[in-house]
Amino acid sequence: MIGIGILKGMAVTARNFVGSYFEKERLITVQYPEERNPLPENYRNFPFLPYDGDDPHAGLRCVACKICEKECPPQCIYIVKSEDKKPDYMGKPQFYPAVFDIDISVCMSCQICVEVCPFEAIKMDKDFELSRRERFDALLLRKSDLAKSNEYYQRICPTDAAEVDAKLAAAAEAAAKKKAVSAAAATAATSPAR
Amino acid sequence: MSKSIDQIFISAKQWLLSWLTGAPDWVIQVASSLINIFTLLAVFLTLFALMSVLERKILGRIQNRYGPNRVGPFGLLQPVADGIKMLIKEDIVPARADKIVHFLAPILIAAAAVLALGVIPYGRNMTPFTIDGGILFFFAVGSTTELAVFMAGWGSNNKFSMLGAMRAIAQMISYELPLIITVLPVVMVVGSLNPDAIVAAQNGYALGLVPRWFVFTPWGATAFILFFVSGLVESNRTPFDVPEGESEIVAGHMTEYSGFKYATFFMAEYIGMFAITGLAATLFLGGWHSPMRALEFLPSYVWFFAKLSALLFVYIWLRGTLPRTRVDQIMNFAWKFMLPMAFTCVIAAAVWHYAGRGLRGWLWSLVVIAIVYTALSILLDARRKFAPRTYRFAE
């Protein structure tokens, strides 16, 4: 009979219409600014520079080696190496970036900078609420905007951060041991001469 | 008490006109008309604003979403935001357009839609303009819409506009026929083209219980459904929105319109929808009569607008349910199904009348309609023509 299919379809939509008022699980909409879904752990958008301890300058892991700047496909990273040196987490004197800028209007979130960094000094952030009223300076993140504490990194990516922390601790320990050994060797080497 | 509430708008108008006592007759007549016009526009533009937000909310709920809920309480101020947005948009006229036709089309389409509202009885003694040939006037004005649509399509000098306008003309003219023929049985049975007389003829209750609305007779029910579907096509609503199918021809005849002119088209579409549903309620659903004697204490206009809202809800419901039909499907449906069924309604109404307008007539007209409907269902069943679909690889 003509019209039976239409009636069946209308029954389906009527069930949706009435049901959406009584069954909350039917509504999949998240009312965004008030409520939000947790981000997946592997979510990433733009890079940031984690620092150890409390001081963004002293704790910054970056040694201004410029590998990320060279590898960055859209070339959105700009680094100027410092004149002087500061001790890194192992106590070794290292250069540090006097200027570290990332233009996030150019960045394509490819994570290559993170993968090439030998110092675990650049990681991907999850802050996506970046709308600005101006599209040049406001979207050019300076070193002060990019430096974020290691606690922040541990909070946004717990698994990766734990791995990185373990690796850095092991490296520091190895370095300390080596230092102790070489110091002992140095004393051993120098003592006969004395 | 209920009597005075029922006539409250009439009394208000009388009170306003009492300021003019002593003025010449024509002044009073013009003032009376102006009051009617302003009331009509105020009521239906408010209804348009309300409808535009409620439609989005209902469609949202049908799709398990919330719909607009940000502007004002429950999103009810959304039409204000939409209106401001439309007003401050740039009004673009294509360089090669026929400027005059392009400019006149939205005005004409809105004027036609508003004019059609004037002859509908909204309550007891509440017909804005009583015309003896009111139904005729309604359809005469309603067909002007087609001209306006074609003006918009032609004046825009755009291929999409032209295609959309031609599709609109094709479907509107095809469905004008069933639309008007389904009104015929009502006019035949009542013996008048006056909407007030048609409403008056549906007064009272059969067996003291069922209201004597035409929709409760077999021919009336069939004619009502046919009228409703034709009205759906006339107002270019989904599932018959091929003239403005976004995925095919951008926005049809409205492609080259922006800003307030586009809003005017939008408004005309909705006002036309109110007019056609209002006429459906008048012709088949007893106009402003209440469905039960016990409920007659409610004012007549409340009943009219309740019926109007119910029909508009079905419009939105259909829009949320059905996908867009193809042009050939629309045409086939009009000429092969709607038109024969519309003529059957005329015959069934005649049978009902000559079999004594009682139970016997009721059954006989049902038989006539059932025979034609079954025959058409068998004849038009497209499923028999195809072998069952077989899949070679997918299962």
Side-chain angles (χ1 to χ4, degrees):
Chain A
M1 287 291 176
I2 289 174
I4 300 295
I6 291 178
L7 292 181
K8 279 183 193 163
M10 289 180 77
V12 171
T13 43
R15 255 200 310 281
N16 278 349
F17 176 72
V18 178
S20 65
Y21 283 100
F22 293 103
E23 300 163 34
K24 272 278 162 271
E25 59 271 24
R26 274 178 178 273
L27 295 162
I28 56 161
T29 315
V30 177
Q31 299 282 303
Y32 163 60
E34 289 93 34
E35 50 183 82
R36 44 185 76 199
N37 283 343
L39 287 170
E41 197 182 335
N42 286 338
Y43 174 77
R44 65 163 196 252
N45 57 359
F46 298 120
F48 75 104
L49 306 173
Y51 62 84
D52 299 308
D54 297 324
D55 184 12
H57 176 73
L60 204 65
R61 294 173 187 166
C62 181
V63 299
C65 66
K66 296 199 183 185
I67 295 176
C68 53
E69 188 186 32
K70 286 173 194 125
E71 290 289 344
C72 178
Q75 304 191 352
C76 65
I77 303 179
Y78 175 71
I79 301 173
V80 174
K81 200 197 254 180
S82 62
E83 301 289 324
D84 56 332
K85 291 190 176 186
K86 72 171 176 60
D88 67 353
Y89 64 100
M90 294 187 289
K92 199 167 150 195
Q94 293 274 21
F95 290 107
Y96 61 91
V99 176
F100 197 119
D101 294 345
I102 295 180
D103 189 346
I104 58 165
S105 67
V106 175
C107 176
M108 62 185 201
S109 310
C110 63
Q111 208 181 356
I112 287 178
C113 51
V114 177
E115 278 155 23
V116 298
C117 182
F119 301 96
E120 308 289 354
I122 188 163
K123 292 290 167 196
M124 296 308 271
D125 202 352
K126 291 189 177 183
D127 182 18
F128 56 88
E129 287 162 325
L130 292 161
S131 75
R132 298 286 183 269
R133 288 185 174 271
E134 198 264 337
R135 66 197 170 109
F136 301 108
D137 275 351
L139 288 173
L140 182 66
L141 299 187
R142 309 283 176 184
K143 194 170 88 173
S144 52
D145 308 317
L146 289 168
K148 287 179 182 173
S149 69
N150 195 34
E151 283 76 56
Y152 172 77
Y153 183 47
Q154 282 160 350
R155 200 165 59 244
I156 61 169
C157 305
T159 319
D160 289 354
E163 243 169 63
V164 167
D165 286 349
K167 201 172 148 193
L168 289 180
E173 205 176 306
K177 206 175 272 175
K178 205 172 151 193
K179 212 171 171 181
V181 168
S182 65
T187 30
T190 47
S191 49
R194 202 171 271 182
Chain B
M1 181 59 195
S2 73
K3 197 85 183 162
S4 63
I5 291 177
D6 190 29
Q7 295 300 305
I8 191 163
F9 296 111
I10 311 296
S11 322
K13 189 181 155 192
Q14 295 301 337
W15 178 79
L16 278 177
L17 285 178
S18 68
W19 293 81
L20 286 174
T21 25
D25 261 2
W26 64 270
V27 172
I28 293 179
Q29 267 173 21
V30 167
S32 157
S33 297
L34 282 179
I35 292 171
N36 289 344
I37 290 166
F38 280 118
T39 321
L40 259 188
L41 282 181
V43 167
F44 279 96
L45 289 184
T46 316
L47 199 62
F48 161 58
L50 203 64
M51 172 91 176
S52 68
V53 62
L54 284 183
E55 170 160 30
R56 289 172 63 186
K57 281 189 95 74
I58 292 171
L59 281 179
R61 286 291 171 170
I62 282 176
Q63 295 159 6
N64 289 327
R65 306 182 274 113
Y66 285 103
N69 62 356
R70 291 281 145 173
V71 192
F74 303 106
L76 282 178
L77 292 181
Q78 187 69 38
V80 180
D82 287 345
I84 293 170
K85 186 201 88 173
M86 283 294 190
L87 273 173
I88 60 176
K89 273 197 168 183
E90 186 186 357
D91 178 31
I92 300 167
V93 181
R96 301 283 296 276
D98 191 332
K99 301 264 172 1
I100 298 170
V101 175
H102 188 267
F103 174 74
L104 279 180
I107 298 174
L108 187 62
I109 200 166
V114 173
L115 274 177
L117 288 173
V119 292
I120 295 169
Y122 297 105
R124 195 174 275 114
N125 306 327
M126 276 170 67
T127 314
F129 298 98
T130 313
I131 306 174
D132 275 343
I135 304 291
L136 199 63
F137 173 81
F138 184 95
F139 288 113
V141 166
S143 356
T144 320
T145 318
E146 280 146 48
L147 181 66
V149 165
F150 199 70
M151 278 165 70
W154 181 262
S156 300
N157 197 5
N158 174 317
K159 289 176 186 66
F160 286 131
S161 302
M162 194 64 210
L163 275 174
M166 284 168 72
R167 283 183 178 195
I169 296 291
Q171 77 172 41
M172 282 164 115
I173 287 179
S174 301
Y175 279 86
E176 199 98 310
L177 231 55
L179 189 74
I180 293 172
I181 290 170
T182 47
V183 178
L184 267 188
V186 177
V187 173
M188 273 164 52
V189 165
V190 177
S192 168
L193 278 167
N194 188 338
D196 295 314
I198 291 172
V199 173
Q202 300 180 69
N203 189 17
Y205 302 88
L207 315 170
L209 190 70
V210 187
R212 286 185 197 279
W213 302 352
F214 290 137
V215 76
F216 292 121
T217 58
W219 60 268
T222 318
F224 170 65
I225 294 167
L226 294 177
F227 186 89
F228 190 80
V229 173
S230 308
L232 209 61
V233 183
E234 288 295 312
S235 45
N236 289 342
R237 295 270 303 174
T238 332
F240 302 107
D241 62 344
V242 273
E244 51 204 80
E246 299 90 349
S247 51
E248 299 156 24
I249 46 171
V250 193
H253 55 275
M254 300 187 286
T255 305
E256 292 292 358
Y257 285 91
S258 56
F260 202 63
K261 283 181 190 162
Y262 182 82
T264 312
F265 269 107
F266 198 63
M267 187 194 78
E269 191 183 313
Y270 275 79
I271 301 255
M273 216 161 86
F274 300 148
I276 209 96
T277 41
L279 193 70
T282 305
L283 289 173
F284 300 104
L285 300 182
W288 42 261
H289 286 304
S290 67
M292 264 189 271
R293 189 157 291 161
L295 293 172
E296 271 175 7
F297 65 91
L298 282 173
S300 53
Y301 45 85
V302 169
W303 283 115
F304 180 84
F305 281 100
K307 289 167 188 175
L308 191 73
S309 317
L311 289 181
L312 289 175
F313 178 77
V314 179
Y315 265 42
I316 299 171
W317 187 5
L318 278 168
R319 181 178 167 186
T321 306
L322 300 175
R324 188 181 302 138
T325 45
R326 288 199 314 261
V327 182
D328 63 319
Q329 286 172 334
I330 295 179
M331 291 299 150
N332 278 340
F333 189 59
W335 296 102
K336 291 182 185 169
F337 181 78
M338 299 287 282
L339 199 60
M341 283 309 288
F343 280 121
T344 313
C345 286
V346 178
I347 296 167
V351 168
W352 181 76
H353 177 72
Y354 284 108
R357 296 197 174 199
L359 188 63
R360 208 156 63 87
W362 202 91
L363 289 173
W364 272 114
S365 63
L366 183 66
V367 166
V368 170
I369 285 166
I371 289 172
V372 177
Y373 178 68
T374 319
L376 282 175
S377 289
I378 294 167
L379 281 174
L380 297 178
D381 193 350
R383 276 171 301 183
R384 293 180 307 145
K385 288 173 198 154
F386 303 109
R389 179 179 258 187
T390 51
Y391 297 94
R392 284 172 65 194
F393 303 111
E395 192 52 63

